[in-house]
Amino acid sequence: NPSIYLEAMAYFGISPKETLIIEDSAVGLASAYSSCGNVMRVDGPQDIVYEKIIEYGKRKYMERL
């Protein structure tokens, strides 16, 4: 259920296009994708580092061109 992501977006007044969701579990990923936010799949907390987040952003930007 994507409601937790949608509620957070509404609380902060941002759209799914402006949202980055970082997830590692299958259930969390399904919910995140359902929210239509930008989803970065990770294997665990060790993957949540600045360099990987920046690389993800660059890749998503290039996909839009």
Side-chain angles (χ1 to χ4, degrees), residues 1-5 21-35 38-41:
N1 188 328
S3 64
I4 189 69
Y5 298 114
I21 302 169
I22 301 173
E23 260 298 344
D24 64 345
S25 73
V27 173
L29 286 164
S31 297
Y33 286 121
S34 293
S35 76
N38 295 291
V39 180
M40 180 177 155
R41 185 190 178 284

Side-chain angles (χ1 to χ4, degrees), residues 6-61:
L6 297 172
E7 286 180 30
M9 290 176 209
Y11 178 82
F12 288 106
I14 57 176
S15 72
K17 288 182 180 181
E18 300 170 298
T19 304
L20 173 60
I21 302 169
I22 301 173
E23 260 298 344
D24 64 345
S25 73
V27 173
L29 286 164
S31 297
Y33 286 121
S34 293
S35 76
C36 297
N38 295 291
V39 180
M40 180 177 155
R41 185 190 178 284
V42 297
D43 291 326
Q46 72 280 359
D47 289 336
I48 306 171
V49 294
Y50 178 79
E51 292 80 12
K52 288 188 178 189
I53 294 169
I54 294 301
E55 183 58 36
Y56 174 85
K58 288 178 183 177
R59 193 171 55 249
K60 291 300 280 185
Y61 175 78

